[in-house]
PDB file of all heavy atoms in Angstrom:
ATOM      1  N   GLU A  65       5.938 -24.761 -14.195  1.00 56.00           N
ATOM      2  CA  GLU A  65       5.689 -23.343 -13.933  1.00 56.00           C
ATOM      3  C   GLU A  65       5.521 -23.092 -12.441  1.00 56.00           C
ATOM      4  O   GLU A  65       4.824 -23.817 -11.750  1.00 56.00           O
ATOM      5  CB  GLU A  65       4.409 -22.946 -14.669  1.00 56.00           C
ATOM      6  CG  GLU A  65       4.228 -21.475 -14.795  1.00 56.00           C
ATOM      7  CD  GLU A  65       3.033 -21.159 -15.667  1.00 56.00           C
ATOM      8  OE1 GLU A  65       3.024 -21.586 -16.832  1.00 56.00           O
ATOM      9  OE2 GLU A  65       2.116 -20.488 -15.168  1.00 56.00           O
ATOM     10  N   LYS A  66       6.183 -22.063 -11.943  1.00 63.00           N
ATOM     11  CA  LYS A  66       6.075 -21.681 -10.538  1.00 63.00           C
ATOM     12  C   LYS A  66       4.804 -20.864 -10.358  1.00 63.00           C
ATOM     13  O   LYS A  66       4.636 -19.834 -10.988  1.00 63.00           O
ATOM     14  CB  LYS A  66       7.311 -20.866 -10.158  1.00 63.00           C
ATOM     15  CG  LYS A  66       7.420 -20.554  -8.700  1.00 63.00           C
ATOM     16  CD  LYS A  66       8.730 -19.846  -8.419  1.00 63.00           C
ATOM     17  CE  LYS A  66       8.841 -19.498  -6.964  1.00 63.00           C
ATOM     18  NZ  LYS A  66      10.072 -18.786  -6.656  1.00 63.00           N
ATOM     19  N   ALA A  67       3.881 -21.343  -9.512  1.00 69.00           N
ATOM     20  CA  ALA A  67       2.594 -20.672  -9.360  1.00 69.00           C
ATOM     21  C   ALA A  67       2.543 -19.774  -8.134  1.00 69.00           C
ATOM     22  O   ALA A  67       2.097 -18.642  -8.209  1.00 69.00           O
ATOM     23  CB  ALA A  67       1.469 -21.693  -9.301  1.00 69.00           C
ATOM     24  N   GLU A  68       2.972 -20.276  -7.005  1.00 84.00           N
ATOM     25  CA  GLU A  68       2.882 -19.485  -5.780  1.00 84.00           C
ATOM     26  C   GLU A  68       4.013 -18.482  -5.685  1.00 84.00           C
ATOM     27  O   GLU A  68       5.042 -18.612  -6.328  1.00 84.00           O
ATOM     28  CB  GLU A  68       2.868 -20.408  -4.566  1.00 84.00           C
ATOM     29  CG  GLU A  68       1.576 -21.202  -4.485  1.00 84.00           C
ATOM     30  CD  GLU A  68       1.335 -21.802  -3.121  1.00 84.00           C
ATOM     31  OE1 GLU A  68       2.087 -21.497  -2.176  1.00 84.00           O
ATOM     32  OE2 GLU A  68       0.379 -22.571  -3.018  1.00 84.00           O
ATOM     33  N   ILE A  69       3.803 -17.510  -4.866  1.00 94.00           N
ATOM     34  CA  ILE A  69       4.777 -16.447  -4.637  1.00 94.00           C
ATOM     35  C   ILE A  69       5.346 -16.624  -3.235  1.00 94.00           C
ATOM     36  O   ILE A  69       4.615 -16.947  -2.300  1.00 94.00           O
ATOM     37  CB  ILE A  69       4.100 -15.061  -4.734  1.00 94.00           C
ATOM     38  CG1 ILE A  69       3.492 -14.860  -6.114  1.00 94.00           C
ATOM     39  CG2 ILE A  69       5.085 -13.948  -4.419  1.00 94.00           C
ATOM     40  CD1 ILE A  69       2.672 -13.583  -6.232  1.00 94.00           C
ATOM     41  N   THR A  70       6.634 -16.367  -3.098  1.00 96.00           N
ATOM     42  CA  THR A  70       7.245 -16.376  -1.770  1.00 96.00           C
ATOM     43  C   THR A  70       7.487 -14.938  -1.319  1.00 96.00           C
ATOM     44  O   THR A  70       7.493 -14.004  -2.142  1.00 96.00           O
ATOM     45  CB  THR A  70       8.588 -17.127  -1.765  1.00 96.00           C
ATOM     46  OG1 THR A  70       9.531 -16.384  -2.550  1.00 96.00           O
ATOM     47  CG2 THR A  70       8.444 -18.538  -2.316  1.00 96.00           C
ATOM     48  N   ARG A  71       7.695 -14.788  -0.038  1.00 97.00           N
ATOM     49  CA  ARG A  71       8.026 -13.473   0.521  1.00 97.00           C
ATOM     50  C   ARG A  71       9.281 -12.910  -0.162  1.00 97.00           C
ATOM     51  O   ARG A  71       9.334 -11.728  -0.495  1.00 97.00           O
ATOM     52  CB  ARG A  71       8.221 -13.623   2.032  1.00 97.00           C
ATOM     53  CG  ARG A  71       8.489 -12.341   2.747  1.00 97.00           C
ATOM     54  CD  ARG A  71       8.529 -12.563   4.262  1.00 97.00           C
ATOM     55  NE  ARG A  71       8.820 -11.339   4.939  1.00 97.00           N
ATOM     56  CZ  ARG A  71       7.961 -10.368   5.168  1.00 97.00           C
ATOM     57  NH1 ARG A  71       6.715 -10.495   4.787  1.00 97.00           N
ATOM     58  NH2 ARG A  71       8.328  -9.258   5.776  1.00 97.00           N
ATOM     59  N   GLN A  72      10.266 -13.772  -0.391  1.00 97.00           N
ATOM     60  CA  GLN A  72      11.512 -13.346  -1.036  1.00 97.00           C
ATOM     61  C   GLN A  72      11.256 -12.858  -2.468  1.00 97.00           C
ATOM     62  O   GLN A  72      11.862 -11.887  -2.913  1.00 97.00           O
ATOM     63  CB  GLN A  72      12.545 -14.478  -1.033  1.00 97.00           C
ATOM     64  CG  GLN A  72      13.928 -14.045  -1.500  1.00 97.00           C
ATOM     65  CD  GLN A  72      14.530 -12.925  -0.657  1.00 97.00           C
ATOM     66  OE1 GLN A  72      14.358 -12.874   0.569  1.00 97.00           O
ATOM     67  NE2 GLN A  72      15.233 -12.007  -1.298  1.00 97.00           N
ATOM     68  N   ASP A  73      10.333 -13.519  -3.185  1.00 97.00           N
ATOM     69  CA  ASP A  73       9.965 -13.072  -4.537  1.00 97.00           C
ATOM     70  C   ASP A  73       9.466 -11.627  -4.503  1.00 97.00           C
ATOM     71  O   ASP A  73       9.836 -10.808  -5.348  1.00 97.00           O
ATOM     72  CB  ASP A  73       8.834 -13.937  -5.120  1.00 97.00           C
ATOM     73  CG  ASP A  73       9.238 -15.357  -5.445  1.00 97.00           C
ATOM     74  OD1 ASP A  73      10.440 -15.618  -5.672  1.00 97.00           O
ATOM     75  OD2 ASP A  73       8.338 -16.222  -5.480  1.00 97.00           O
ATOM     76  N   VAL A  74       8.620 -11.321  -3.534  1.00 98.00           N
ATOM     77  CA  VAL A  74       8.037  -9.975  -3.436  1.00 98.00           C
ATOM     78  C   VAL A  74       9.103  -8.959  -3.036  1.00 98.00           C
ATOM     79  O   VAL A  74       9.158  -7.859  -3.599  1.00 98.00           O
ATOM     80  CB  VAL A  74       6.846  -9.952  -2.454  1.00 98.00           C
ATOM     81  CG1 VAL A  74       6.265  -8.542  -2.343  1.00 98.00           C
ATOM     82  CG2 VAL A  74       5.767 -10.943  -2.892  1.00 98.00           C
ATOM     83  N   ILE A  75       9.952  -9.321  -2.101  1.00 98.00           N
ATOM     84  CA  ILE A  75      11.035  -8.417  -1.693  1.00 98.00           C
ATOM     85  C   ILE A  75      11.922  -8.083  -2.888  1.00 98.00           C
ATOM     86  O   ILE A  75      12.263  -6.915  -3.126  1.00 98.00           O
ATOM     87  CB  ILE A  75      11.855  -9.026  -0.532  1.00 98.00           C
ATOM     88  CG1 ILE A  75      11.004  -9.057   0.739  1.00 98.00           C
ATOM     89  CG2 ILE A  75      13.158  -8.257  -0.315  1.00 98.00           C
ATOM     90  CD1 ILE A  75      11.603  -9.870   1.874  1.00 98.00           C
TER      91      ILE A  75
END
Side-chain angles (χ1 to χ4, degrees):
E65 195 173 301
K66 187 175 179 181
E68 291 197 8
I69 300 173
T70 67
R71 183 174 179 78
Q72 189 59 37
D73 291 336
V74 179
I75 291 169

